[in-house]
Amino acid sequence: MRINRAPAVLAFAGAVLLLRTNTAESTPPPNVLPVQVAPAEEVDTLLRKRVYTGTLVAARRSALSFETAGKIVELVADEGDRVEAGQILGRLDTRRLEALRAQSQAELVESAARLREFIAGPRTQTIAAAEAEVRNLAAQRDVAQRNLERRAQLVASRAISREEYDEMLFEFRAAEARVDVAQKTLDELIAGTRQEQIDAQQARTQALEAVVADTRHRLEDAVLRAPFAGQIVKRNLDEGTVVALGEPVFELIEAAALEAWIGAPPRAVATLTPGAAMRVEIDNEEYEAVVQSIRPELDPQTRTQNVVLRIPRDPRLVAGQVVRAAIVQPIAMRGFWTPTASLTPRRRGLWAVYVVAAGRVEPRDVEVIETDGDRSFIRGTLAPGEPVIAEGAHRIVAGQAVTIASERPAVTATTKPR
């Protein structure tokens, strides 16, 4: 039996022809190169990013000293020690101050007692005794007066001499004077202490109270305490040293809070505001910092303006480490962000990018203004919206036939090419 194979052969030939036709339509000619493009999107502001360096510093740093002069008898902290607020760090010799305080307190007790006595006035017993003294002296005066009257009659009859009369007259006048003195003393006791005496004694008591308080304060000043929690970074003196007033003994930094001081040009600093968040790099690690303040004056040596950043607490960070922060400064300038890989060098230091126009490669001369990693800011003969060949510019030449294989998003100030 003979089998007719013609229909099968014809069907196979048709399938092969169809496959060749589809392959020819989907595969570009051998000389046409597929490329990836990104549309050129024009911007009117260049966000220029610059990295500035600074250092970590302690939020508070104090040179600690005694508030009085004297001999150091004890220091209980050393370099590297962590201390708490109010902790005792050292003491001075206070023997003379202790003796002065004891003397002042004794004088104060005496003065206060005298003041209370003046205010209370004389006792009733003292007044009664003075009254009895006045009556006694008055009686003696009366006796002398009667004797004088009898002597006057006797001298008139010439029974006694004039000399005896004069002696009795003197005794009478003396007795009368004693009565007058006793009466004035009694009057003074009854009237009480004069206000002037009370005021004078009160003033002396207050002066002694001030001396006691001053001595107490000097004793407190002889004890050195930490004003805040931190770490001792330097110890300048040892026990036995006689220190002058204000001579530094320790240097203390606040270890709990660190600040970053970064110097930057005033135009870059003008873009920052207190409270704004910033990312900084310390020892190859990034941290979220906050702008705490901006120093109002320029550093006379670097001619930069210091920005103070508040750094989050991290036990690995220490004062003195280098800090890097990027500050973005807007500059009014029209241009394009393009992938750096799209740039190709031209003659005499110029640059160009290639665009796809009508299936062919055409160059566009450009000027590179800024390069930021894998993207660059350019300006030149490039027109907005033109498809820029994103990479592989070294593999193509002007006039070469290409086809667009894929399209990337436009590179802008906030996006970078993948």
Side-chain angles (χ1 to χ4, degrees), residues 52 262-273 294-299 302-307 327-330:
Y52 302 97
I262 297 177
R267 289 189 177 181
V269 174
T271 63
L272 304 177
T273 56
I294 298 174
R295 305 293 292 180
E297 75 280 356
L298 292 180
D299 189 301
T302 62
R303 307 305 299 172
T304 58
Q305 196 171 1
N306 280 322
V307 180
I327 300 178
V328 178
Q329 178 182 355

